[in-house]
Amino acid sequence: MNVTRRTFLSASAAAMIGSILLPRNAQAAGYGLTAAPVTLPVVPGQPGTMLWGYNGSFPGPLLRVRQGERLRVALQNNLPQDTTIHWHGIRLPHAMDGVPGLTQLPVQPGESFVYEFDCADAGTFWYHPHAGNPEQVGRGLYGLLIVDEPDPPAVDRDVAWVLSDLRLDRGAQITGDFRNYMDVTHAGRLGNTALINGRLAQPYAVTAGERLRLRLVNTANARIFDLRFTDHAPWLVALDGHPLDAPQRLRSNDRVALGPGMRADLILDLTGEPGRRYPVLDRDFQGREHRLTDLAYGETPMAGAAGRAPRLAANPVAEPDLARAERLPLVLGGGMGVPYALRVDGGPVLDMREAFQKHRMAWSLNGQAMTDHAGHHGHEPLFRLKLGKSYILDVSNDTSRPHPLHLHGHVFRVLNQPGRPWRDTVLLQPGETAQLALLADNPGEWMLHCHILEHQAAGMMATVQVG
Ligand code: C2O
Ligand code: CU
């Protein structure tokens, strides 16, 4: 059941207008994704940017299934290097997780691979390669995967902002300086051009009186988005796809922080005045606010679906047993600013200079740095969890940088955050700690890593064996 030429064309057309309007009742649960180079307009008035995309679009096509449905995707690799697809946040069987060397063989240029799995959880997810990550994601390979609730909340429009950035030169071309020393040892590859849905952020057209479901996804290599909707009070209803037990009302000074990999679903009532513009502000790592986009109101209001805060039904995630949970300390280490030592793939302890010069490693989990190669054969898991047992990861960030820590195959409750949300990725500021509770219920050896892809590539990565 490959995608037809017609749906292929309409997916590209949707990307052209820089806005993804999410069609209801998209029945197709079978897709084809061809990864290949493509040139598309990203910055108005500049020549097209050479990207790597799926089916000629950037971001890749929206994949959409109903909760409980099976998704089947045939990947064709027309890139000049190996690739895979990882289904970020989906709790699926290990063999479908898309980690080369760990869950499957890398898909070589010219080859294909079929992914097929059931989507038990509703929500906002995304997909991206897990091979040669910093470069492939940094060149634009990612897309949105939406799993629809059987009974979605009533809104006037269901829309997504795929938030990312690119590092472009003067001719609007992606710079080739992947994995350079500066990026790897500091904040990762921060782009210089912030994008919404694959285009330079433009004012976003809205109508007074309407209610939006706004799905935010951060697909950037390294940029943290920290958004504030001026003069609006959106409801935060889900994080990383999973509904909050109770929706949270955001006031004008509240922010939505999204590290790479993270998602948030908002219900946004457009309560502003017709004809006016309201900035959506982002805050950078130095604390400065700047305008990401505007909510640009049209002249004519409408009577929309506004009402009480919608409550989404919980996903079928099994609760960890907090009273019996075993605690596991997890220390994030390395990077510039704090002296450190680490072991590479279980080898001898190295100081920071040696670790980088010999192995290009700069970050660690519990003092261990894992290279890409080790993941491919006989690597020692950082933790061995018993199937059916509960655990609390006691995480501390002992570095001078924030890190979005991501676990595959499972979600965890973040015990130290309000409402104890389920998440698959948690952002830890420098010096911060977090308690992550989970039931180890999905057998296999799973990745645990920082989703700043340059940190992952430089050692902040491990595996967790379940069962
Ligand atoms: Cu979204 Cu292991 O990654
Ligand atoms: Cu990191």
Side-chain angles (χ1 to χ4, degrees):
M1 274 213 330
N2 275 353
V3 118
T4 64
R5 183 160 168 76
R6 235 177 105 223
T7 52
F8 166 79
L9 286 174
S10 66
S12 321
M16 287 301 290
I17 57 171
S19 161
I20 301 180
L21 178 59
L22 308 173
R24 278 276 163 76
N25 303 324
Q27 284 280 5
Y31 294 89
L33 288 179
T34 299
V38 59
T39 298
L40 291 170
V42 170
V43 183
Q46 291 272 1
T49 301
M50 280 188 284
L51 299 147
W52 289 353
Y54 294 109
N55 297 0
S57 81
F58 170 62
L62 165 66
L63 308 184
R64 191 155 205 177
V65 299
R66 291 164 191 272
Q67 185 171 18
E69 234 178 9
R70 198 166 181 79
L71 177 65
R72 185 176 188 276
V73 178
L75 164 67
Q76 169 68 34
N77 181 10
N78 290 351
L79 298 170
Q81 52 181 245
D82 294 354
T83 194
T84 60
I85 299 180
H86 170 60
W87 310 93
H88 185 118
I90 302 279
R91 300 183 300 133
L92 42 57
H94 186 255
M96 294 292 118
D97 199 42
V99 181
L102 190 67
T103 72
Q104 68 171 97
L105 291 171
V107 183
Q108 291 173 0
E111 288 190 342
S112 57
F113 187 89
V114 177
Y115 295 93
E116 191 167 357
F117 49 88
D118 295 332
C119 297
D121 298 328
T124 304
F125 302 94
W126 66 295
Y127 60 93
H128 63 80
H130 221 282
N133 252 342
E135 179 168 11
Q136 294 189 13
V137 172
R139 290 191 185 279
L141 282 170
Y142 41 78
L144 195 58
L145 167 56
I146 291 182
V147 183
D148 280 303
E149 302 86 4
D151 192 13
V155 293
D156 297 303
R157 279 192 292 160
D158 185 350
V159 297
W161 289 0
V162 177
L163 304 169
S164 65
D165 65 4
L166 289 174
R167 185 177 290 177
L168 298 178
D169 64 18
R170 283 168 186 275
Q173 300 310 311
I174 294 169
T175 64
D177 53 341
F178 292 97
R179 283 183 158 182
N180 70 64
Y181 175 77
M182 183 66 190
D183 289 344
V184 155
T185 56
H186 291 75
R189 181 183 172 92
L190 296 170
N192 52 12
T193 311
L195 307 178
I196 299 182
N197 298 334
R199 296 294 174 277
L200 191 75
Q202 302 287 324
Y204 193 78
V206 296
T207 302
E210 73 175 333
R211 170 170 270 197
L212 297 187
R213 177 177 188 163
L214 177 56
R215 303 173 189 257
L216 303 172
V217 188
N218 183 353
T219 64
N221 278 41
R223 178 188 287 244
I224 294 165
F225 286 89
D226 192 14
L227 304 186
R228 185 160 76 84
F229 292 79
T230 60
D231 297 311
H232 286 75
W235 293 94
L236 178 63
V237 294
L239 290 171
D240 292 353
H242 293 271
L244 301 179
D245 294 345
Q248 289 170 20
R249 188 92 199 242
L250 303 179
R251 302 294 168 177
S252 201
N253 283 324
D254 291 339
R255 321 192 68 98
V256 189
L258 296 150
M262 298 166 75
R263 289 89 66 210
D265 283 38
L266 303 180
I267 299 287
L268 176 60
D269 289 322
L270 279 309
T271 51
E273 285 170 33
R276 274 193 60 186
R277 287 186 171 200
Y278 298 83
V280 179
L281 302 173
D282 184 21
R283 184 168 63 175
D284 67 20
F285 66 102
Q286 289 167 313
R288 290 176 309 207
E289 272 195 326
H290 58 93
R291 180 183 299 221
L292 175 69
T293 182
D294 281 338
L295 299 176
Y297 280 73
E299 295 295 339
T300 318
M302 66 181 273
R308 270 177 306 151
R311 197 181 253 278
L312 305 180
N315 280 321
V317 186
E319 288 287 345
D321 179 347
L322 296 183
R324 295 220 183 98
E326 183 182 334
R327 300 192 86 104
L328 302 169
L330 178 61
V331 178
L332 281 49
M336 281 301 131
V338 189
Y340 60 86
L342 50 77
R343 295 172 188 275
V344 177
D345 294 334
V349 177
L350 303 176
D351 68 27
M352 49 198 285
R353 231 195 64 232
E354 291 172 316
F356 193 82
Q357 284 179 352
K358 290 194 187 143
H359 304 278
R360 304 191 77 75
M361 292 290 111
W363 302 93
S364 62
L365 293 173
N366 284 355
Q368 307 280 343
M370 174 180 165
T371 64
D372 278 350
H373 314 292
H376 299 187
H377 14 249
H379 172 81
E380 251 316 282
L382 189 65
F383 299 124
R384 291 178 184 278
L385 311 186
K386 286 214 179 71
L387 191 64
K389 214 182 132 176
S390 297
Y391 295 87
I392 295 174
L393 296 182
D394 270 311
V395 193
S396 55
N397 177 359
D398 287 8
T399 78
S400 65
R401 295 284 169 183
H403 302 281
L405 183 71
H406 173 49
L407 175 65
H408 288 207
H410 295 77
V411 289
F412 42 77
R413 275 202 189 271
V414 186
L415 300 182
N416 54 294
Q417 290 181 357
R420 299 184 160 189
W422 290 111
R423 306 216 61 144
D424 56 58
T425 308
V426 64
L427 185 61
L428 285 110
Q429 296 298 328
E432 206 184 346
T433 62
Q435 289 76 48
L436 315 178
L438 74 141
L439 178 71
D441 61 357
N442 198 357
E445 188 178 354
W446 301 100
M447 299 299 299
L448 171 69
H449 63 87
C450 177
H451 219 289
I452 290 177
L453 301 178
E454 291 69 30
H455 293 177
Q456 177 189 4
M460 195 175 272
M461 167 164 81
T463 64
V464 175
Q465 175 72 47
V466 175

